[in-house]
């Protein structure tokens, strides 16, 4: 499971469509382009947005409009492509500031096979590790999303070893690595995940 509570600033790049859900309630969809810049790279991220209701402000959006949205960002990786979907519950028009995706990450998943790396920085010791979350998307097909974690807590838990199950809350840091989006998280809380019968 990866759940991102985010604020996004970007540009509408696909027209608004009004649809009805399975429950008969109306919702709107549209596309959003967000330019993510790293130190040396930048990439346009395409986000599919869905928002409950049929308010006039959302329905009046046009391609090229600048917007600020709040909501839940979900991620799915199929093949070499990462898909971004935003369930929005807040909209502001003509926001100030550059394109951005900021917020908090809630993560449940499994550490990779590599050892946790201990490092020393200007602010003291910290550790880095990578973990993945999986989601079943077909009869025998899974989507895997990898997240890179940076943890500044004082001690390394004994259970934090390759293949461990973890739960993390932290700050989302989206970067571009070799032309592709990289999901990073600065850890705020870390615990062992006692896995139940789920697909994550």
């Amino acid at each position: 499971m990866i759940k991102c509570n985010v604020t996004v600033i970007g540009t509408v790049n696909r027209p608004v469509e009004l649809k009805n859900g399975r429950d008969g309630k109306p919702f709107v969809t549209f596309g959003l382009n967000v330019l993510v810049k790293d130190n040396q790279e930048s990439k346009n991220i395409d986000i599919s947005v869905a928002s409950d209701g049929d308010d006039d402000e959302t329905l009046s959006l046009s391609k090229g409009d600048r917007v600020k949205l709040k909501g839940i960002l979900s991620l799915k990786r199929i093949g070499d492509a990462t898909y971004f979907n935003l369930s929005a519950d807040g909209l502001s028009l003509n926001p100030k500031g550059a394109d951005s995706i900021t917020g908090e990450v809630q993560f449940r998943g499994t550490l990779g096979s590599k050892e946790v790396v201990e490092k020393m920085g200007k602010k003291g010791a910290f550790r880095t590790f990578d973990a993945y979350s999986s989601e079943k998307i077909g009869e025998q097909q899974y989507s895997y999303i990898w997240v890179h974690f940076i943890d500044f807590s004082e001690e390394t838990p004994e259970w934090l070893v390759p293949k461990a199950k973890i739960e993390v809350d932290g700050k989302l840091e989206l970067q571009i690595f070799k032309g592709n989006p990289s999901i990073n998280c600065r850890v705020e809380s870390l615990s062992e995940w006692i896995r139940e019968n789920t697909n994550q």
Side-chain angles (χ1 to χ4, degrees):
M1 178 208 76
I2 301 177
K3 180 180 178 182
C4 304
N5 293 281
V6 298
T7 298
V8 179
I9 296 177
T11 303
V12 176
N13 65 353
R14 291 194 304 277
V16 172
E17 294 184 66
L18 178 61
K19 300 180 179 180
N20 286 319
R22 294 179 180 178
D23 57 3
K25 294 182 180 180
F27 70 97
V28 294
T29 67
F30 57 93
L32 192 71
N33 181 81
V34 181
L35 180 62
V36 175
K37 292 184 178 181
D38 204 344
N39 292 332
Q40 297 179 346
E41 296 186 72
S42 62
K43 184 179 180 66
N44 286 308
I45 302 297
D46 186 81
I47 300 177
S48 295
V49 181
S51 177
D52 290 337
D54 55 357
D55 63 279
D56 291 339
E57 187 175 50
T58 304
L59 289 173
S60 66
L61 290 176
S62 300
K63 187 175 180 180
D65 285 345
R66 296 275 295 162
V67 296
K68 179 179 180 180
L69 299 167
K70 294 184 178 182
I72 304 297
L73 183 69
S74 60
L75 307 142
K76 183 173 292 185
R77 188 168 179 84
I78 302 176
D80 294 330
T82 302
Y83 297 91
F84 294 79
N85 299 286
L86 179 67
S87 177
D89 57 15
L91 168 69
S92 301
L93 298 174
N94 302 314
K96 296 181 179 180
D99 286 13
S100 61
I101 302 174
T102 58
E104 303 294 322
V105 179
Q106 294 177 325
F107 176 92
R108 286 181 182 173
T110 306
L111 258 69
S113 59
K114 295 182 179 180
E115 296 288 337
V116 174
V117 178
E118 301 283 348
K119 297 184 177 182
M120 182 63 69
K122 293 181 179 179
K123 297 182 179 180
F126 66 98
R127 66 196 59 86
T128 65
F129 50 92
D130 298 303
Y132 65 88
S133 177
S134 62
E135 177 186 356
K136 194 171 184 179
I137 58 174
E139 288 296 325
Q140 297 182 344
Q141 186 178 10
Y142 284 83
S143 168
Y144 295 92
I145 297 289
W146 283 88
V147 178
H148 180 70
F149 295 92
I150 302 172
D151 181 17
F152 286 90
S153 55
E154 293 182 0
E155 297 181 359
T156 302
E158 292 183 0
W159 53 263
L160 192 66
V161 295
K163 302 299 183 180
K165 308 295 183 184
I166 63 172
E167 287 192 69
V168 180
D169 289 338
K171 182 180 178 182
L172 174 67
E173 297 180 349
L174 186 63
Q175 297 180 333
I176 304 301
F177 179 70
K178 294 184 178 179
N180 293 310
S182 173
I183 312 301
N184 296 343
C185 174
R186 181 183 287 259
V187 175
E188 294 177 348
S189 70
L190 170 66
S191 60
E192 188 174 12
W193 174 33
I194 307 302
R195 183 173 178 174
E196 298 177 356
N197 185 23
T198 69
N199 289 327
Q200 278 80 30

